[in-house]
Amino acid sequence: MKTAEIAQRYLNYFEQNDHTIVPSASLVSDDPTVMFTIAGMVPFVPYLTGVVPAPFPRAADVQKCIRTNDIEEVGKTARHGTFFQMLGNWSFGDYFKEGAITYAWDLLTKSEADGGLGFAERDIWVTVYETDDEAAALWQKIAGLPAERIQRMGKEDNYWHTGQPGPGGPCSEIYIDRGPAYGKDGGPIVDDNRFTEIWNLVFMQDLLSDVRSKVDFDIAGFLPNKNIDTGMGLERVAMFKQGVENMYETDQVRPVLDRAEQISGRTYGASHEDDVRFRVIADHVRSSLMLLSDGVRPSNEGRGYILRRLMRRTVRSMRLLGVDAPTFPELFSASRDAMKSAYPVIEQDWDQISTAANAEEATFLRTLAQGSTILDLAVEDTKKQGSTALAGSEAFLLHDTYGFPIDLTLEIAEEAGLSVDRDAFDSLMQEQRSRAKADAKSRKRQLADVSVYGDLRALGETEFLGYNDLETESRVLGLLVDGQAATSASEGQVVEIVLAETTLYAESGGQVADKGTIVGPGFVLDVLDVQRPVPGLISHTVEVRQGRVAVGDTATTVVDAANRRAARQAHSATHLVHAALRDTLGKTATQSGSLNRAGYLRFDFSWGQALSAETRTEIEEIANRAVQESLEVTTRVMSLDEAKEAGAMALFGEKYGSVVRMVDIGGPWSRELCAGTHVSTSAEIGLINLVGEASVGASNRRIEALVGQDAFRELAAERAIVSQLTSSLKTPREQLPDRIAELAAQLKAAEKRIAQFEAKERAGQVPALAETATRVGSHQFVGQSVGEVGSADDVRELALAVRERLGSDAAVVAVAGVAAGRPMVVIATNDAARAAGAKAGALAKIAAGVLGGGGGGRDDVAQGGGADASALPAAFSAIEAELRRA
């Protein structure tokens, strides 16, 4: 039975049992403090907690999930996968334990011919929470399971929560006995390899206030409703129904593994090490594909970093299989063909997905080449120093800065006859993880931050009236002070305020929040921010400028009209720039991010190379021609399917509800789904001035533009600069480029002549500096300052020249200079001096310490600096003292 068929059987069964079928949410979590959707219940948290009323009493879904905490275990076990799919059925205050157990048993044991999954009753075992007598009794009553196949476990196994304050409850897990070949008899309590969990029924009834660990938490009380949250691993069910040993061999994953076999020429099943690599490739390619399909792009932070890590681990694994050439075009195509029937969007957006994947692979292959060069130099230096171990700091630098895998560093070092100081490397990695963990923890919202909106949301959705009006009278429904409900707020306090209606736009879709005020009898509130903390609710962060505001007060929202006008201009201009880009570059140049605020727009789009000046001009001309033509801007609210049929662009990676707002500018020329505020005609935009274009990733570019009056002011400033240049250079405007190029060439030639004169002058200083050499211990020593210099290179050149002039006897040369008021010293030692124990790097650190700075370098030449030029004589004395001790 194919994986897609299992999923469809599941949905069909629950649809026949009066469940609303809900499409999968994006892998990108709506919660800004959580990177990914890590469990099937994540999209339903607002309903499970009662913060948002559930739109249906019962539901079922197939939810895409990503977990990366076990990434190092991927490929090593049968069960660890980065991307996986959870089959779930949900009840929000409808059925509870009896219903959940009945549905699960019926679907699992019903024959395949009757639409079930056809598992043998004799192979099914269950566990329940240690004190849950009710669940144990229901399993006996409904399924007829004997008592010995109903096992009790504690909180570690049979109490479920998210690890954060929020919903939780006892659970009952369903296991399949894989048979004697897989381990000992006795049920999951004895061997959870032979007895493999496939379905977890969570009886969600508790509200947890403080979670200290998996088994240590406080229960604040009961949830408003007793809910059911179940999760059945689709890949695990597919393992059993397809008779394979692990999830990597199921029909949606195995094709990538097979393609890696063909490319590498190696055989899956012939070697444990290679098998792990094949499974890593299969998992990571599919996981990367699914993240790319939800709009994530490789980067060095957040979600993009996780994606980049998955993709680079894939490249590394292919390299270990003996393949150095690009493989993503073939591997990702294999995964696309395996997944597209379940997720058609993959094929629809294939051009963008494949472009991003192939560009990342090309970038990393270049990184590997660069990292190999850096590592070769580090290996050479290590050998020169007589060491047999590459410093852990060098390995960490390669890993952290260049993305160079540690196992590749180990491999190359071993080939060179060196080990790597893994203890130091692991320590640095742990420090980094600790910093990242502390940062993530500091950004996590406590449940109270969201749950406080529950009572407010229960009063209904906040009505946004700002499309047509800038002011509206409303009523204060609630106040939050420091995240806690309050009845009033006084002058000087910063609070959140929730109203029944508002004209103030909440930040979304790239458009920043409105500016404005909220006024009422005896109070004035300055609006600092407007957000949607939970679906359907708009919250205003305000500072009480005057008076006192209380729950129940009448309040009028007043939008800053000038700011809103400029923001509307910028947002509509963004749509014009998008359409102009697609006209110029083709349909693959689609939006991947944007920011609109008064007078300014920033637009990210999928494209792999810089735009020429001519292309930028063409885009700007097309967009401004649309402004000049005064195109009508219309908006319509309709179903998502109707909008797509009308040709509206649904932006890649964006999430939309079943009802959407479609914005047309000039009819179908620009037709996008958008909830932002817009002008009535394109002429109101005034002017669009593209001021920048740059790379923001391997396959993404960013355009920045000024709009309206801001665009005019920028052009006026440029005109003033041109006017000043024409006057100063006494050159007509059209001849300015040639004249400036001519002056630049003259300046470059003059700088070259000056450099030659300065080099000649420095060369003349060498004999005099060498003559100052004195005997310090067994060394000749020169310690001199040459005063003001242009750069450290000038000082280095002098120090090396003096060292050569002193001949083969042990010599240490310290030459100092001052650049921009800051002293620097370069120390050079010859072979004889180093043999006698004088190391330039160590001496540079000593000198720099006296100067109030830092320094170091190689044994033959090193540099230090500081802030106190008057300390140079003391720095030379410190070097002399060290030489005498040597």
Side-chain angles (χ1 to χ4, degrees):
M1 191 182 294
K2 299 293 187 184
T3 303
E5 182 187 346
I6 296 169
Q8 194 57 54
R9 281 173 177 259
Y10 184 90
L11 296 177
N12 289 345
Y13 175 84
F14 281 101
E15 186 172 30
Q16 291 163 10
N17 284 282
D18 303 320
H19 287 65
T20 300
I21 304 304
V22 179
S24 173
S26 171
L27 288 169
V28 177
S29 173
D30 284 329
D31 187 338
T33 68
V34 179
M35 285 198 289
F36 299 119
T37 300
I38 60 171
M41 56 85 69
V42 170
F44 296 99
V45 167
Y47 310 146
L48 294 169
T49 58
V51 171
V52 176
F56 27 66
R58 50 175 73 181
D61 70 336
V62 181
Q63 176 60 48
K64 301 178 290 185
C65 302
I66 285 278
R67 288 184 191 167
T68 59
N69 54 321
D70 290 329
I71 193 170
E72 302 294 342
E73 297 302 314
V74 168
K76 299 176 183 177
T77 72
R79 289 178 262 174
H80 281 98
T82 311
F83 170 82
F84 59 96
Q85 300 158 89
M86 291 301 294
L87 305 168
N89 59 284
W90 313 84
S91 166
F92 308 103
D94 190 3
Y95 61 84
F96 198 47
K97 291 182 184 180
E98 184 168 4
I101 292 171
T102 299
Y103 289 134
W105 181 256
D106 186 41
L107 176 59
L108 285 174
T109 58
K110 183 181 290 187
S111 71
E112 292 183 13
D114 292 331
L117 295 177
F119 283 97
E121 294 184 13
R122 66 178 179 274
D123 293 334
I124 299 176
W125 292 62
V126 300
T127 62
V128 297
Y129 186 52
E130 56 191 357
T131 60
D132 195 348
D133 297 334
E134 181 186 6
L138 285 169
W139 275 113
Q140 288 183 305
K141 169 189 170 185
I142 294 165
L145 285 178
E148 63 268 18
R149 281 164 52 197
I150 304 171
Q151 298 185 327
R152 296 177 184 253
M153 294 187 179
K155 292 178 181 177
E156 180 70 33
D157 298 287
N158 277 76
Y159 191 97
W160 194 95
H161 57 77
T162 65
Q164 297 295 316
C171 60
S172 179
E173 296 181 332
I174 304 173
Y175 292 76
I176 301 296
D177 181 0
R178 303 175 74 189
Y182 292 91
K184 295 179 292 185
D185 199 357
I189 202 167
V190 173
D191 188 337
D192 66 355
N193 182 49
R194 170 175 169 172
F195 298 88
T196 300
E197 179 208 339
I198 61 167
W199 204 345
N200 187 12
L201 314 179
V202 180
F203 311 129
M204 196 169 287
Q205 61 191 36
D206 301 327
L207 181 63
L208 278 56
S209 59
D210 185 14
V211 179
R212 294 171 290 278
S213 72
K214 180 74 172 70
V215 297
D216 185 15
F217 49 83
D218 294 333
I219 297 176
F222 291 113
L223 292 168
N225 294 305
K226 288 184 176 181
N227 303 316
I228 288 295
D229 157 18
T230 84
M232 178 158 62
L234 179 55
E235 283 77 11
R236 291 194 186 179
V237 178
M239 279 172 50
F240 290 110
K241 301 310 294 181
Q242 294 172 23
V244 296
E245 291 297 309
N246 54 61
M247 63 166 288
Y248 312 104
E249 297 175 15
T250 57
D251 64 297
Q252 287 187 344
V253 189
R254 180 67 190 242
V256 179
L257 192 155
D258 292 340
R259 194 70 196 100
E261 268 192 300
Q262 296 167 7
I263 295 170
S264 66
R266 300 195 188 182
T267 303
Y268 181 63
S271 151
H272 173 72
E273 290 77 10
D274 281 356
D275 286 356
V276 170
R277 292 160 189 158
F278 279 123
R279 292 194 287 261
V280 166
I281 292 163
D283 171 89
H284 285 9
V285 166
R286 185 173 76 139
S287 301
S288 298
L289 173 72
M290 299 309 297
L291 285 170
L292 287 165
S293 74
D294 271 354
V296 181
R297 288 294 178 266
S299 69
N300 286 328
E301 57 184 26
R303 301 180 181 98
Y305 175 76
I306 297 297
L307 173 59
R308 171 161 285 169
R309 187 179 178 205
L310 293 171
M311 297 172 85
R312 292 187 169 190
R313 279 171 58 89
T314 302
V315 173
R316 171 60 181 147
S317 295
M318 287 302 299
R319 184 186 177 103
L320 291 171
L321 291 173
V323 182
D324 295 330
T327 60
F328 278 12
E330 295 182 68
L331 295 176
F332 274 80
S333 294
S335 191
R336 172 202 61 196
D337 294 343
M339 297 298 296
K340 66 184 181 182
S341 62
Y343 301 99
V345 69
I346 293 171
E347 191 163 37
Q348 296 167 17
D349 294 326
W350 178 244
D351 287 344
Q352 299 170 61
I353 292 169
S354 59
T355 297
N358 297 342
E360 178 62 18
E361 182 180 34
T363 298
F364 187 48
L365 289 174
R366 290 193 296 271
T367 294
L368 287 175
Q370 179 186 17
S372 296
T373 301
I374 295 169
L375 180 55
D376 289 342
L377 291 172
V379 166
E380 184 181 340
D381 284 347
T382 301
K383 287 186 170 181
K384 281 183 178 179
Q385 294 169 13
S387 176
T388 60
L390 186 72
S393 58
E394 292 277 5
F396 180 75
L397 175 70
L398 283 163
H399 171 84
D400 194 50
T401 304
Y402 298 99
F404 203 74
I406 180 60
D407 50 357
L408 184 55
T409 299
L410 292 167
E411 178 185 307
I412 293 174
E414 184 178 357
E415 290 170 356
L418 299 175
S419 62
V420 175
D421 186 347
R422 279 304 300 267
D423 289 342
F425 173 83
D426 292 340
S427 177
L428 290 168
M429 284 296 295
Q430 185 57 47
E431 288 177 17
Q432 184 192 61
R433 291 191 190 103
S434 297
R435 288 193 298 270
K437 187 175 181 179
D439 179 60
K441 188 174 182 180
S442 69
R443 292 183 286 109
K444 280 184 178 176
R445 283 203 308 257
Q446 296 298 309
L447 178 69
D449 295 333
V450 177
S451 65
V452 291
Y453 300 107
D455 292 340
L456 298 172
R457 180 61 181 80
L459 300 176
E461 295 193 22
T462 308
E463 188 175 3
F464 177 65
L465 305 175
Y467 291 129
N468 300 312
D469 301 309
L470 295 182
E471 296 187 19
T472 192
E473 185 176 284
S474 186
R475 183 169 55 87
V476 179
L477 298 181
L479 291 168
L480 300 176
V481 178
D482 296 328
Q484 301 296 320
T487 57
S488 65
S490 302
E491 190 170 317
Q493 284 187 283
V494 174
V495 301
E496 286 184 71
I497 183 171
V498 175
L499 308 172
E501 304 87 12
T502 185
T503 53
L504 290 153
Y505 184 80
E507 180 179 358
S508 62
Q511 182 175 329
V512 302
D514 274 335
K515 294 181 179 179
T517 56
I518 300 174
V519 298
F523 65 83
V524 177
L525 315 178
D526 291 328
V527 176
L528 307 178
D529 192 16
V530 189
Q531 296 290 334
R532 297 178 182 269
V534 296
L537 195 72
I538 296 176
S539 174
H540 312 75
T541 300
V542 300
E543 182 176 2
V544 183
R545 190 204 311 170
Q546 295 176 15
R548 178 179 174 277
V549 60
V551 174
D553 283 352
T554 300
T556 299
T557 59
V558 182
V559 176
D560 182 323
N563 184 78
R564 166 69 78 81
R565 186 183 311 111
R568 291 167 57 206
Q569 289 174 316
H571 204 151
S572 297
T574 300
H575 286 220
L576 297 187
V577 169
H578 191 185
L581 270 167
R582 290 167 64 82
D583 270 5
T584 306
L585 302 178
K587 303 306 180 185
T588 59
T590 53
Q591 179 176 337
S592 57
S594 67
L595 174 68
N596 311 288
R597 63 171 184 260
Y600 170 86
L601 71 87
R602 186 183 75 201
F603 186 87
D604 296 347
F605 61 100
S606 302
W607 199 248
Q609 59 190 23
L611 303 184
S612 66
E614 294 77 12
T615 301
R616 285 179 52 182
T617 299
E618 183 180 358
I619 292 166
E620 194 174 45
E621 285 181 353
I622 292 173
N624 279 294
R625 193 181 308 133
V627 172
Q628 185 180 14
E629 290 173 356
S630 191
L631 303 174
E632 183 181 11
V633 180
T634 60
T635 61
R636 288 177 282 167
V637 176
M638 60 185 69
S639 73
L640 180 58
D641 289 339
E642 287 174 327
K644 288 182 176 179
E645 287 176 12
M649 184 177 298
L651 299 181
F652 185 53
E654 283 291 315
K655 299 181 281 291
Y656 299 98
S658 57
V659 178
V660 296
R661 183 169 178 262
M662 186 172 75
V663 178
D664 287 359
I665 304 180
W669 182 68
S670 171
R671 178 167 286 169
E672 297 188 25
L673 303 184
C674 180
T677 61
H678 289 273
V679 297
S680 300
T681 68
S682 60
E684 293 177 39
I685 295 171
L687 181 65
I688 301 172
N689 178 14
L690 268 60
V691 294
E693 189 269 337
S695 170
V696 287
S699 57
N700 277 283
R701 307 293 298 180
R702 171 173 293 171
I703 279 179
E704 294 181 278
L706 297 176
V707 182
Q709 282 295 110
D710 291 80
F712 172 76
R713 281 190 284 268
E714 177 69 11
L715 291 173
E718 291 179 356
R719 181 176 62 189
I721 292 171
V722 171
S723 178
Q724 290 174 7
L725 288 172
T726 58
S727 176
S728 298
L729 299 178
K730 296 181 172 56
T731 303
R733 184 178 67 177
E734 60 274 10
Q735 296 178 16
L736 274 178
D738 292 339
R739 177 60 175 150
I740 291 173
E742 178 187 347
L743 290 173
Q746 292 175 1
L747 178 61
K748 188 174 182 179
E751 288 174 341
K752 185 176 180 180
R753 289 195 297 273
I754 292 169
Q756 290 170 344
F757 287 133
E758 289 177 342
K760 186 175 181 180
E761 182 182 357
R762 285 195 297 274
Q765 292 178 280
V766 172
L769 287 171
E771 288 178 6
T772 67
T774 59
R775 180 64 59 177
V776 178
S778 60
H779 301 83
Q780 299 179 81
F781 175 63
V782 172
Q784 293 292 322
S785 174
V786 294
E788 290 291 334
V789 294
S791 69
D793 289 341
D794 297 340
V795 181
R796 177 180 289 262
E797 184 180 329
L798 278 173
L800 294 176
V802 173
R803 182 183 67 181
E804 293 303 314
R805 192 172 182 88
L806 291 177
S808 60
D809 287 347
V812 175
V813 177
V815 178
V818 179
R822 297 183 66 85
M824 65 188 73
V825 59
V826 174
I827 299 174
T829 61
N830 60 14
D831 291 341
R834 291 193 293 278
K839 310 293 187 185
L843 295 173
K845 287 181 181 178
I846 291 171
V850 177
L851 296 174
R858 302 197 309 266
D859 290 346
D860 60 334
V861 62
Q863 178 180 323
D868 185 5
S870 67
L872 281 172
F876 294 137
S877 298
I879 296 172
E880 287 188 52
E882 182 63 22
L883 291 176
R884 289 192 182 93
R885 282 195 291 269

